[in-house]
Tab-separated table of all heavy atoms in Angstrom:
chain	number	residue	atom	x	y	z
A	1	ARG	N	-7.798	-17.427	-9.435
A	1	ARG	CA	-8.357	-16.785	-8.236
A	1	ARG	C	-7.244	-16.467	-7.234
A	1	ARG	O	-7.265	-15.418	-6.578
A	1	ARG	CB	-9.390	-17.692	-7.570
A	1	ARG	CG	-10.587	-18.048	-8.447
A	1	ARG	CD	-11.506	-16.844	-8.679
A	1	ARG	NE	-12.726	-17.261	-9.347
A	1	ARG	CZ	-12.891	-17.308	-10.671
A	1	ARG	NH1	-11.876	-16.969	-11.467
A	1	ARG	NH2	-14.029	-17.678	-11.207
A	2	LEU	N	-6.286	-17.378	-7.102
A	2	LEU	CA	-5.166	-17.150	-6.195
A	2	LEU	C	-4.357	-15.933	-6.638
A	2	LEU	O	-3.997	-15.075	-5.817
A	2	LEU	CB	-4.276	-18.382	-6.138
A	2	LEU	CG	-2.981	-18.256	-5.312
A	2	LEU	CD1	-3.296	-17.902	-3.867
A	2	LEU	CD2	-2.169	-19.552	-5.403
A	3	ALA	N	-4.077	-15.850	-7.945
A	3	ALA	CA	-3.330	-14.698	-8.468
A	3	ALA	C	-4.085	-13.404	-8.214
A	3	ALA	O	-3.495	-12.399	-7.792
A	3	ALA	CB	-3.071	-14.884	-9.966
A	4	GLY	N	-5.395	-13.416	-8.451
A	4	GLY	CA	-6.198	-12.225	-8.212
A	4	GLY	C	-6.214	-11.834	-6.746
A	4	GLY	O	-6.148	-10.644	-6.403
A	5	SER	N	-6.285	-12.816	-5.864
A	5	SER	CA	-6.277	-12.535	-4.424
A	5	SER	C	-4.942	-11.946	-3.987
A	5	SER	O	-4.889	-10.993	-3.194
A	5	SER	CB	-6.572	-13.818	-3.641
A	5	SER	OG	-7.847	-14.335	-3.969
A	6	LEU	N	-3.860	-12.521	-4.493
A	6	LEU	CA	-2.535	-11.981	-4.180
A	6	LEU	C	-2.406	-10.543	-4.683
A	6	LEU	O	-1.875	-9.666	-3.979
A	6	LEU	CB	-1.451	-12.854	-4.807
A	6	LEU	CG	-1.235	-14.221	-4.180
A	6	LEU	CD1	-0.336	-15.083	-5.060
A	6	LEU	CD2	-0.629	-14.093	-2.783
A	7	TYR	N	-2.914	-10.307	-5.884
A	7	TYR	CA	-2.843	-8.965	-6.461
A	7	TYR	C	-3.626	-7.967	-5.618
A	7	TYR	O	-3.185	-6.835	-5.377
A	7	TYR	CB	-3.376	-8.970	-7.894
A	7	TYR	CG	-2.577	-8.125	-8.848
A	7	TYR	CD1	-2.268	-8.593	-10.123
A	7	TYR	CD2	-2.121	-6.868	-8.496
A	7	TYR	CE1	-1.528	-7.839	-11.002
A	7	TYR	CE2	-1.379	-6.102	-9.374
A	7	TYR	CZ	-1.081	-6.596	-10.626
A	7	TYR	OH	-0.341	-5.840	-11.493
A	8	LEU	N	-4.793	-8.379	-5.141
A	8	LEU	CA	-5.614	-7.489	-4.314
A	8	LEU	C	-4.900	-7.164	-2.999
A	8	LEU	O	-4.913	-6.003	-2.545
A	8	LEU	CB	-6.966	-8.143	-4.034
A	8	LEU	CG	-7.990	-7.283	-3.279
A	8	LEU	CD1	-8.297	-5.994	-4.039
A	8	LEU	CD2	-9.273	-8.081	-3.038
A	9	ILE	N	-4.265	-8.155	-2.402
A	9	ILE	CA	-3.503	-7.917	-1.166
A	9	ILE	C	-2.360	-6.945	-1.440
A	9	ILE	O	-2.100	-6.021	-0.649
A	9	ILE	CB	-2.968	-9.242	-0.601
A	9	ILE	CG1	-4.123	-10.128	-0.132
A	9	ILE	CG2	-2.002	-8.984	0.561
A	9	ILE	CD1	-3.700	-11.538	0.227
A	10	ILE	N	-1.675	-7.128	-2.570
A	10	ILE	CA	-0.577	-6.239	-2.944
A	10	ILE	C	-1.060	-4.794	-3.058
A	10	ILE	O	-0.446	-3.863	-2.521
A	10	ILE	CB	0.053	-6.705	-4.276
A	10	ILE	CG1	0.828	-8.004	-4.065
A	10	ILE	CG2	0.976	-5.625	-4.853
A	10	ILE	CD1	1.186	-8.716	-5.354
A	11	ILE	N	-2.173	-4.596	-3.741
A	11	ILE	CA	-2.699	-3.240	-3.951
A	11	ILE	C	-3.107	-2.609	-2.620
A	11	ILE	O	-2.761	-1.460	-2.324
A	11	ILE	CB	-3.873	-3.272	-4.939
A	11	ILE	CG1	-3.372	-3.648	-6.338
A	11	ILE	CG2	-4.590	-1.913	-4.980
A	11	ILE	CD1	-4.486	-3.956	-7.331
A	12	LEU	N	-3.840	-3.361	-1.805
A	12	LEU	CA	-4.321	-2.819	-0.534
A	12	LEU	C	-3.163	-2.512	0.420
A	12	LEU	O	-3.130	-1.451	1.059
A	12	LEU	CB	-5.302	-3.790	0.114
A	12	LEU	CG	-6.637	-3.986	-0.613
A	12	LEU	CD1	-7.484	-5.041	0.093
A	12	LEU	CD2	-7.400	-2.667	-0.711
A	13	CYS	N	-2.213	-3.437	0.512
A	13	CYS	CA	-1.067	-3.206	1.393
A	13	CYS	C	-0.211	-2.042	0.897
A	13	CYS	O	0.254	-1.218	1.702
A	13	CYS	CB	-0.213	-4.474	1.492
A	13	CYS	SG	-0.930	-5.778	2.501
A	14	GLY	N	-0.006	-1.971	-0.410
A	14	GLY	CA	0.789	-0.885	-0.962
A	14	GLY	C	0.149	0.466	-0.723
A	14	GLY	O	0.829	1.439	-0.358
A	15	LEU	N	-1.172	0.548	-0.911
A	15	LEU	CA	-1.874	1.810	-0.683
A	15	LEU	C	-1.825	2.211	0.786
A	15	LEU	O	-1.607	3.382	1.114
A	15	LEU	CB	-3.327	1.697	-1.153
A	15	LEU	CG	-3.556	1.711	-2.667
A	15	LEU	CD1	-5.024	1.458	-2.982
A	15	LEU	CD2	-3.115	3.051	-3.271
A	16	PHE	N	-2.021	1.236	1.685
A	16	PHE	CA	-1.971	1.577	3.105
A	16	PHE	C	-0.578	2.047	3.510
A	16	PHE	O	-0.429	3.040	4.233
A	16	PHE	CB	-2.380	0.399	3.981
A	16	PHE	CG	-2.224	0.702	5.450
A	16	PHE	CD1	-3.208	1.420	6.117
A	16	PHE	CD2	-1.083	0.308	6.143
A	16	PHE	CE1	-3.053	1.738	7.463
A	16	PHE	CE2	-0.919	0.623	7.484
A	16	PHE	CZ	-1.917	1.337	8.141
A	17	ALA	N	0.449	1.327	3.065
A	17	ALA	CA	1.814	1.686	3.451
A	17	ALA	C	2.164	3.094	2.981
A	17	ALA	O	2.809	3.856	3.706
A	17	ALA	CB	2.803	0.671	2.888
A	18	GLU	N	1.712	3.448	1.772
A	18	GLU	CA	2.051	4.757	1.218
A	18	GLU	C	1.159	5.861	1.768
A	18	GLU	O	1.647	6.878	2.266
A	18	GLU	CB	1.950	4.715	-0.311
A	18	GLU	CG	2.283	6.021	-1.000
A	18	GLU	CD	3.717	6.471	-0.792
A	18	GLU	OE1	4.607	5.598	-0.663
A	18	GLU	OE2	3.949	7.695	-0.745
A	19	VAL	N	-0.160	5.655	1.680
A	19	VAL	CA	-1.101	6.717	2.035
A	19	VAL	C	-1.413	6.713	3.526
A	19	VAL	O	-1.508	7.776	4.158
A	19	VAL	CB	-2.404	6.579	1.213
A	19	VAL	CG1	-3.412	7.663	1.584
A	19	VAL	CG2	-2.095	6.643	-0.284
A	20	GLY	N	-1.583	5.533	4.103
A	20	GLY	CA	-1.958	5.455	5.506
A	20	GLY	C	-0.805	5.643	6.466
A	20	GLY	O	-0.995	6.137	7.585
A	21	ALA	N	0.408	5.276	6.042
A	21	ALA	CA	1.560	5.353	6.956
A	21	ALA	C	2.540	6.442	6.530
A	21	ALA	O	2.660	7.472	7.189
A	21	ALA	CB	2.252	3.991	7.025
A	22	ARG	N	3.257	6.235	5.423
A	22	ARG	CA	4.340	7.150	5.069
A	22	ARG	C	3.868	8.587	4.853
A	22	ARG	O	4.528	9.536	5.278
A	22	ARG	CB	5.072	6.639	3.828
A	22	ARG	CG	5.927	5.410	4.096
A	22	ARG	CD	6.837	5.093	2.939
A	22	ARG	NE	6.114	4.601	1.777
A	22	ARG	CZ	5.834	3.307	1.567
A	22	ARG	NH1	6.192	2.401	2.465
A	22	ARG	NH2	5.197	2.933	0.479
A	23	LEU	N	2.746	8.757	4.200
A	23	LEU	CA	2.257	10.105	3.908
A	23	LEU	C	1.988	10.891	5.183
A	23	LEU	O	2.131	12.122	5.212
A	23	LEU	CB	0.977	10.024	3.058
A	23	LEU	CG	0.453	11.338	2.485
A	23	LEU	CD1	1.455	11.926	1.496
A	23	LEU	CD2	-0.890	11.124	1.791
A	24	ASN	N	1.613	10.203	6.256
A	24	ASN	CA	1.294	10.861	7.514
A	24	ASN	C	2.501	11.032	8.428
A	24	ASN	O	2.410	11.761	9.431
A	24	ASN	CB	0.216	10.069	8.263
A	24	ASN	CG	-1.125	10.115	7.555
A	24	ASN	OD1	-1.601	11.178	7.213
A	24	ASN	ND2	-1.715	8.953	7.324
A	25	LEU	N	3.608	10.380	8.108
A	25	LEU	CA	4.757	10.390	9.008
A	25	LEU	C	5.970	11.127	8.459
A	25	LEU	O	6.708	11.763	9.227
A	25	LEU	CB	5.169	8.947	9.342
A	25	LEU	CG	4.162	8.100	10.116
A	25	LEU	CD1	4.685	6.677	10.265
A	25	LEU	CD2	3.885	8.711	11.478
A	26	ILE	N	6.193	11.050	7.165
A	26	ILE	CA	7.464	11.505	6.606
A	26	ILE	C	7.308	12.866	5.932
A	26	ILE	O	6.479	13.035	5.031
A	26	ILE	CB	8.018	10.489	5.598
A	26	ILE	CG1	8.205	9.125	6.277
A	26	ILE	CG2	9.340	10.970	5.017
A	26	ILE	CD1	8.561	8.006	5.314
A	27	ALA	N	8.108	13.823	6.386
A	27	ALA	CA	8.253	15.118	5.710
A	27	ALA	C	9.647	15.113	5.089
A	27	ALA	O	10.647	15.265	5.795
A	27	ALA	CB	8.091	16.261	6.698
A	28	TYR	N	9.723	14.897	3.785
A	28	TYR	CA	11.009	14.639	3.148
A	28	TYR	C	11.944	15.844	3.149
A	28	TYR	O	13.124	15.703	2.800
A	28	TYR	CB	10.789	14.131	1.721
A	28	TYR	CG	10.275	12.709	1.676
A	28	TYR	CD1	8.930	12.445	1.433
A	28	TYR	CD2	11.129	11.636	1.888
A	28	TYR	CE1	8.455	11.137	1.403
A	28	TYR	CE2	10.672	10.327	1.860
A	28	TYR	CZ	9.327	10.089	1.618
A	28	TYR	OH	8.859	8.796	1.586
A	29	ASN	N	11.445	17.001	3.533
A	29	ASN	CA	12.302	18.184	3.615
A	29	ASN	C	12.530	18.646	5.059
A	29	ASN	O	13.061	19.733	5.287
A	29	ASN	CB	11.696	19.336	2.810
A	29	ASN	CG	10.301	19.712	3.299
A	29	ASN	OD1	9.723	18.988	4.115
A	29	ASN	ND2	9.775	20.813	2.804
C-alpha cells in the first residue's frame, strides 16, 4: 500500500509539474 501511495503521488505530481506548470509557462522557442 505504501508503494502504491508513493507511486500515485509521483504520477500526480509529475502530471501537475508538466501539464499544470511547465506547459503553461515555457515557450521553448
Side-chain angles (χ1 to χ4, degrees):
R1 300 290 188 270
L2 175 59
S5 299
L6 289 169
Y7 221 137
L8 185 59
I9 293 171
I10 289 166
I11 292 169
L12 293 177
C13 286
L15 286 175
F16 175 81
E18 180 63 32
V19 179
R22 288 191 290 271
L23 189 64
N24 292 309
L25 296 176
I26 302 172
Y28 287 102
N29 59 350

